[in-house]
């Protein structure tokens, strides 16, 4: 009998899966992909992971019978797609599950920075109710620069218009009709958006051509003191450039749900048990400096993490697996 293996599943996911899925022959584990958890790896035909399991060539070589990967995410940069194509392994994703969910978290970060919510909370928590240094700013009439007007970026724009913000957007494939419908304006170049925005929010995919799309050169073009929000992928921002800009005041604050090297530090205990190379240690050190910065708000890649989004993710994953096993794969990437 062939095996299906699910990794990175919490107790709630497991319950949901059991209610909706034909379970025999299915392994369900809470941690990231680990070969030791699959009793007969050669029989594993279907693998489902979230984003913290690195399915690189070395990992996939260990599953010679693998035919299908159902990633429970939109992005698939954690999977070696070239290797999958060369071996005929089909990969499906969850193209849409939380446009509003991630967009709402984007605004949680924006508002936390614009109204200094974390500093205010920390102060009040100690019994200090003074207002010094806690003045924020209105979003109304400020300019939000949205990079990437796909599923999530579009929803961010909808919310921003509700706040009566002016919205500028940059996308390699602008959608004029969308701009008319939601009353925002596209610019022709990223630099133009950076120069005119009070808050810049990233919603494009991580691709070789978008890696470090925010870097030393173009951060210098941003309005001094502007806010930078990233709920897309950590690799879009050059962390060195961000750190210098935060230190110099060129960037006034950053709200980050994602950051470079986040998979290295999912759990604190991993810091002690893992062996790191020099590059990874450098990344970890940079992150520690970033996390301590008083104008930075970090959330640990939770923008998608709502009850409703999880149910949509699991339902689509179940449909993806059923469709593959019926010989008609859907949501193939
Ligand atoms: P999407 O594919 O619907 O939209 C991406 C948009 O980016 C597209 O309109 C595309 O044309 C545009 N784009 C591509 N290259 C670009 C470039 N060089 N410059 C500007 N725009 C460019 O994707 P989505 O579902 O809206 O997801 C957006 C991002 O959010 C992705 O990076 C995804 O991985 C990330 N994401 C994060 C979380 C989280 O929990 N933090 C959850 C889901 C998705």
């Amino acid at each position: 009998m062939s095996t299906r293996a699910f990794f990175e599943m919490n107790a709630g996911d497991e319950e949901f899966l059991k209610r909706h899925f034909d379970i025999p022959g299915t392994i369900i584990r809470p941690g990231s992909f680990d070969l030791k958890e699959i009793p007969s790896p050669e029989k594993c035909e279907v693998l489902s992971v979230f984003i913290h399991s690195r399915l690189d060539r070395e990992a996939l070589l260990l599953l010679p019978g693998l035919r299908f990967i159902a990633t429970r995410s939109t992005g698939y940069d954690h999977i070696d797609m070239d290797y999958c194509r060369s071996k005929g392994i089909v990969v499906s994703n969850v193209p849409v599950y939380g446009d509003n969910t991630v967009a709402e978290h984007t605004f949680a970060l924006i508002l936390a920075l614009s109204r200094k919510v974390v500093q205010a909370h920390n102060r009040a928590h100690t019994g200090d109710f003074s207002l010094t240094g806690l003045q924020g700013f209105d979003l109304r009439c400020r300019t939000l620069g949205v990079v990437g007007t796909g599923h999530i970026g579009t929803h961010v724009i909808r919310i921003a218009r509700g706040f009566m913000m002016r919205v500028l957007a940059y996308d390699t494939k602008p959608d004029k009709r969308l701009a008319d419908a939601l009353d925002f304006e596209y610019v022709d170049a990223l630099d133009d958006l950076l120069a005119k925005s009070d808050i810049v929010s990233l919603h494009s995919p991580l691709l070789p051509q978008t890696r470090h799309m925010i870097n030393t050169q173009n951060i210098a073009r941003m309005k001094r003191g502007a806010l930078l929000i990233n709920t897309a992928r950590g690799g879009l921002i050059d962390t060195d450039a961000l750190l210098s800009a935060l230190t110099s005041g060129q960037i006034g604050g950053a709200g980050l749900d994602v950051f470079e090297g986040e998979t290295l530090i999912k759990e604190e205990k991993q810091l002690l048990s893992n062996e790191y190379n020099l590059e990874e240690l450098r990344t970890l050190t940079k992150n520690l400096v970033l996390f301590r910065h008083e104008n930075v708000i970090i959330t640990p890649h939770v923008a998608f993490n709502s009850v409703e989004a999880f149910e949509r993710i699991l339902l689509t994953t179940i449909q993806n697996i059923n469709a593959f096993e019926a010989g008609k794969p859907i949501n193939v990437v």
Side-chain angles (χ1 to χ4, degrees):
M1 190 184 184
S2 67
T3 312
R4 304 177 190 126
F6 281 72
F7 287 92
E8 304 178 69
M9 295 281 284
N10 61 38
D13 297 341
E14 191 168 339
E15 274 310 303
F16 188 88
L17 201 66
K18 282 179 178 159
R19 271 188 272 128
H20 292 84
F21 197 50
D22 173 24
I23 216 80
T26 302
I27 291 163
I28 301 172
R29 295 289 181 270
S32 297
F33 169 71
D34 181 352
L35 190 74
K36 290 195 289 298
E37 298 287 348
I38 306 179
S40 308
E42 68 289 351
K43 290 191 188 151
C44 180
E45 292 191 357
V46 172
L47 181 62
S48 179
V49 295
F50 188 52
I51 52 163
H52 299 290
S53 298
R54 286 236 74 79
L55 298 184
D56 52 17
R57 185 188 161 79
E58 288 68 33
L60 294 171
L61 271 169
L62 304 171
L63 298 171
L66 191 64
R67 294 167 58 226
F68 183 57
I69 299 173
T71 184
R72 300 194 303 282
S73 57
T74 306
Y76 41 88
D77 44 280
H78 53 298
I79 302 171
D80 185 336
M81 294 300 295
D82 289 338
Y83 178 84
C84 289
R85 281 184 202 109
S86 75
K87 294 289 176 193
I89 299 169
V90 179
V91 180
S92 288
N93 74 340
V94 181
V96 180
Y97 64 86
D99 311 353
N100 68 298
T101 310
V102 178
E104 286 171 24
H105 192 78
T106 301
F107 264 83
L109 295 175
I110 292 175
L111 287 163
L113 286 169
S114 68
R115 302 307 298 266
K116 305 195 183 204
V117 172
V118 176
Q119 288 102 314
H121 166 82
N122 288 344
R123 195 180 292 182
H125 218 63
T126 64
D128 176 353
F129 289 85
S130 64
L131 302 189
T132 318
L134 291 184
Q135 193 164 55
F137 64 85
D138 287 358
L139 294 185
R140 183 169 176 267
C141 296
R142 296 273 173 169
T143 301
L144 176 70
V146 174
V147 181
T149 54
H151 293 98
I152 296 168
T154 297
H155 209 89
V156 166
I157 294 171
R158 273 195 200 102
I159 300 177
R161 296 295 298 131
F163 275 94
M164 292 190 252
M165 298 182 82
R166 176 179 178 230
V167 178
L168 295 178
Y170 172 70
D171 196 299
T172 41
K173 292 181 187 153
D175 180 344
K176 178 80 180 74
R177 276 204 292 197
L178 185 71
D180 289 343
L182 296 183
D183 191 18
F184 70 92
E185 203 182 308
Y186 278 108
V187 293
D188 293 332
L190 177 60
D191 277 9
D192 201 13
L193 176 137
L194 297 178
K196 292 176 179 160
S197 302
D198 300 300
I199 302 170
V200 173
S201 191
L202 305 181
H203 304 285
S204 46
L206 179 61
L207 305 166
Q209 59 273 31
T210 59
R211 188 170 176 273
H212 290 182
M213 73 192 307
I214 302 296
N215 50 54
T216 307
Q217 285 74 33
N218 60 20
I219 280 181
R221 298 186 189 276
M222 289 174 73
K223 280 191 182 181
R224 189 163 176 81
L227 304 182
L228 181 61
I229 310 294
N230 190 6
T231 56
R233 285 291 181 265
L236 296 177
I237 301 177
D238 177 350
T239 309
D240 285 322
L242 175 60
L243 276 173
S244 317
L246 282 162
T247 307
S248 71
Q250 172 61 10
I251 287 188
L256 309 173
D257 186 52
V258 290
F259 42 90
E260 288 190 288
E262 66 186 77
T263 49
L264 299 172
I265 46 168
K266 197 171 169 234
E267 288 181 45
E268 230 172 44
K269 60 178 189 253
Q270 269 178 259
L271 288 173
L272 298 174
S273 59
N274 280 10
E275 284 185 13
Y276 297 105
N277 63 37
L278 196 60
E279 195 47 43
E280 289 172 336
L281 281 174
R282 253 196 216 116
T283 305
L284 284 170
T285 312
K286 275 187 254 178
N287 282 336
L288 291 179
V289 179
L290 191 63
F291 299 168
R292 279 206 212 111
H293 207 289
E294 67 163 347
N295 295 337
V296 173
I297 291 184
I298 303 275
T299 52
H301 205 140
V302 294
F304 66 95
N305 194 3
S306 74
V307 172
E308 294 82 359
F310 257 79
E311 290 189 0
R312 288 191 289 266
I313 289 174
L314 281 173
L315 273 180
T316 305
T317 302
I318 290 166
Q319 286 161 358
N320 286 348
I321 294 174
N322 286 339
F324 175 79
E325 291 180 346
K328 290 183 182 162
I330 54 172
N331 296 323
V332 175
V333 293

